[in-house]
Amino acid sequence: MTRHIKTSSKLAFALLLLWCAGYGFFCYSILHLKPTRPQETSDAIIVLTGGNHRIATALELFASGRATHLFISGANPQVTTDEIKALWKGPTALPPCCITLGKKSTTTIENAQEVREWMKEKKYSSVRLVTSGYHMPRALLELHHALPDVTILPNPVEQPDYTIEDKKFWVISFSEYNKMIWRAMVLTVMPKQGPVQEAL
């Protein structure tokens, strides 16, 4: 019995060390995330709502010609496309077309499914993903699972006030890290969804 308790304690301690090391790496990673191939264009820009500066960043990318279509997943059902366009105050005008609002999703899991349905309809093969840095790892996990044949270019939102000195950083990063671990375990046993390009 004593030996069993000691073995269990060692295992628990090892798992705790592994969790702590993973959390440290996670925090370092999200603080140093940069846009992937920032000058490259894609079929669409996908922005997941729910954090500061996400819409503004997506509009800036859209105005600079990084894609010909902007899809906003998780938009408020009451918000209109004209209201979204009115948020843009940059020097370069937004393209006359096309901004689409996805209003069905309220979670990251639902975001991935909403984006998948839209991508299958449009038959696009590449996207630039815009979301907060702390949210990017989990968002990529969900979208890669839902869009196995789509090229996804991460474009984390710049948040200079989001630092390790800010208590909010630790609260959000702790929550996101644990959510990511849980979803990684769940998705490991779930088969990836079919390609969005299968109808071509």
Side-chain angles (χ1 to χ4, degrees):
M1 183 69 176
T2 302
R3 181 179 297 178
H4 178 71
I5 293 175
K6 287 183 178 179
T7 301
S8 298
S9 297
K10 288 180 180 179
L11 178 59
F13 183 68
L15 289 174
L16 178 61
L17 284 180
L18 183 62
W19 182 94
C20 290
Y23 180 51
F25 179 76
F26 177 82
C27 290
Y28 177 85
S29 297
I30 63 177
L31 285 170
H32 294 83
L33 277 177
K34 299 294 182 184
T36 299
R37 305 199 293 273
Q39 301 305 315
E40 188 172 318
T41 59
S42 58
D43 292 328
I45 295 165
I46 304 293
V47 56
L48 309 184
T49 59
N52 295 335
H53 313 301
R54 295 184 190 181
I55 300 294
T57 299
L59 290 173
E60 182 178 3
L61 290 168
F62 190 47
S64 64
R66 292 296 174 270
T68 57
H69 208 140
L70 169 60
F71 183 74
I72 302 174
S73 179
N76 188 312
Q78 308 304 319
V79 171
T80 66
T81 302
D82 287 340
E83 289 174 323
I84 294 294
K85 291 179 178 178
L87 297 174
W88 176 242
K89 308 298 182 184
T92 305
L94 292 172
C97 180
C98 303
I99 297 177
T100 301
L101 305 182
K103 301 182 178 182
K104 297 178 181 179
S105 60
T106 58
T107 67
T108 305
I109 298 172
E110 292 175 351
N111 285 149
Q113 293 308 308
E114 184 172 60
V115 171
R116 175 180 170 80
E117 291 176 10
W118 184 75
M119 291 286 289
K120 287 194 73 170
E121 176 188 338
K122 296 298 181 181
K123 297 181 173 59
Y124 289 155
S125 61
S126 64
V127 301
R128 181 167 293 279
L129 176 62
V130 178
T131 189
S132 303
Y134 61 80
H135 184 236
M136 186 62 77
R138 185 160 61 95
L140 284 173
L141 193 70
E142 297 289 355
L143 264 73
H144 278 305
H145 189 271
L147 308 169
D149 59 332
V150 172
T151 299
I152 303 175
L153 301 175
N155 203 108
V157 173
E158 290 188 20
Q159 295 178 273
D161 56 339
Y162 188 72
T163 66
I164 58 175
E165 285 80 21
D166 186 350
K167 180 182 177 180
K168 188 177 179 180
F169 168 82
W170 297 108
V171 173
I172 295 179
S173 63
F174 179 85
S175 174
E176 279 296 325
Y177 177 60
N178 287 296
K179 287 179 182 178
M180 185 189 70
I181 291 175
W182 171 247
R183 286 303 295 167
M185 290 190 296
V186 171
L187 293 177
T188 297
V189 298
M190 291 178 61
K192 285 188 176 182
Q193 299 186 54
V196 298
Q197 296 290 306
E198 59 188 359
L200 289 177

